[in-house]
Amino acid sequence: MHLGFLTGCMGNIPLKEKAQWAADHGMKSIEISCWPKLNDRDYSATDIDVAALTQEKADEINAYLKEMGLTISSLAYYDNNLAADLKLRETVNNHVYKVIDAAEMLHVDTIGTFVGRDHTISLQDNFILFEKIFSDIVNYAEKKNIRVMIENCPMTGWQVAGLPGTISFSPELWREMFSRVPNKNFGLNYDPSHLRFMLMDYITPIKEFKDRIFHVHAKDVLVKEKVLSEVGVFNKQLFDRPGESYWVPTMPGLGDIDFKAWIDALKDAGYDGVISIEHEDPKYEGSLEKVQKGLEIALDNLRPLI
């Protein structure tokens, strides 16, 4: 195993500077944010503009990463592939194909995205739509020897307040997902924090889905039991009034996740890839210096465990 991070958290500084920081801090890979230049997603970045990528530029990126002793663990583009708005859905789907093409140029074997959800139709009909869209995406990637993975975030409130914005956030749903798109190049970017804040077991599923875990995110979460007792699992509802969420993302080691147990379970399952730090801790945002301090805390807490 080795450590890396998702690059988008460092904002708009050049990718080369982000990579150098990673190398200087002992990381071995980076997970590169590849959203379109025009998008409205939080925690997004365009560290590689895949729509404009040429083989010459891809070779240039690989050359300086090699000099730094880094590889690319994945290209990241997490958006709603099942969006109810057909124009938006087409835009998102098309960008996923561009990310796959970019991965081929960069000799990267994995890309990550969300499934998403069409909030105007039933869950069952969403799975029918998922099967159609993702069979095509995954088959396209398979021909290029590239894996497609889904991060297990529920994206609560993405389309409708209080409701999940994806159909791919639990073991129950993963079984349905993989039964409909069984390709071996289709898997998970496994993030324990999402399972924890939904009050779920984040250790046990590792054994069942070990062959589908292609990549993992190291993100912690703090569940505020007192707030939970006030608002319940559906979380705060009156957004126009004072109050707080019962959970908050934190840097690894500052929340509830038992990273030693989680990493040991991954090792037992045969996982030997990246532990990619996904920085969403609000206490360490607002400036590049704060973001980097947060990443340093994560590195200090994770490094002894791998």
Side-chain angles (χ1 to χ4, degrees), residues 238-255:
L238 298 173
F239 294 100
D240 59 340
R241 310 210 184 153
E244 59 182 323
S245 170
Y246 77 79
W247 64 273
V248 62
T250 72
M251 298 314 303
L254 303 184

Side-chain angles (χ1 to χ4, degrees), residues 80-243:
N80 188 358
N81 279 282
L82 306 188
D85 181 316
L86 296 182
K87 185 175 181 181
L88 175 58
R89 183 193 300 171
E90 182 180 16
T91 298
V92 173
N93 296 165
N94 286 343
H95 194 75
V96 171
Y97 284 103
K98 291 174 185 175
V99 174
I100 294 168
D101 291 340
E104 182 179 36
M105 283 189 272
L106 289 157
H107 309 298
V108 174
D109 68 0
T110 306
I111 71 107
T113 191
F114 284 146
V115 171
R117 187 171 196 152
D118 179 345
H119 67 280
T120 68
I121 61 177
S122 70
L123 178 61
Q124 290 75 15
D125 286 343
N126 264 277
F127 269 109
I128 293 170
L129 180 61
F130 154 79
E131 185 173 350
K132 178 180 183 300
I133 290 172
F134 272 85
S135 291
D136 290 345
I137 288 172
V138 172
N139 286 335
Y140 182 81
E142 189 172 46
K143 291 174 183 176
K144 296 173 179 284
N145 295 314
I146 292 167
R147 303 183 300 180
V148 176
M149 64 185 185
I150 303 301
E151 186 185 352
N152 55 293
C153 182
M155 293 300 289
T156 306
W158 202 7
Q159 297 96 32
V160 179
L163 295 180
T166 68
I167 62 166
S168 49
F169 55 84
S170 68
E172 174 199 18
L173 298 172
W174 302 339
R175 293 183 195 107
E176 183 70 12
M177 192 168 70
F178 295 129
S179 72
R180 289 175 177 269
V181 182
N183 307 51
K184 297 303 183 184
N185 69 315
F186 187 46
L188 296 170
N189 188 3
Y190 193 88
D191 185 326
S193 71
H194 302 309
L195 294 167
R196 168 57 189 150
F197 85 69
M198 291 187 288
L199 310 183
M200 296 169 67
D201 181 350
Y202 56 87
I203 300 292
T204 302
I206 291 172
K207 183 175 182 181
E208 178 179 350
F209 294 97
K210 63 181 182 178
D211 294 332
R212 298 290 185 173
I213 297 175
F214 296 165
H215 193 277
V216 298
H217 271 169
K219 184 164 78 263
D220 210 340
V221 66
L222 181 65
V223 172
K224 303 174 184 178
E225 297 290 346
K226 185 176 185 303
V227 179
L228 176 61
S229 72
E230 295 283 338
V231 302
V233 295
F234 295 111
N235 216 340
K236 174 178 164 56
Q237 299 293 308
L238 298 173
F239 294 100
D240 59 340
R241 310 210 184 153

Side-chain angles (χ1 to χ4, degrees), residues 9 43 251 277-281 284-285 290-291 294-295:
C9 64
Y43 296 106
M251 298 314 303
I277 300 163
E278 184 183 20
H279 184 342
E280 294 184 354
D281 188 331
Y284 295 97
E285 294 177 344
K290 284 185 177 180
V291 168
L295 290 170

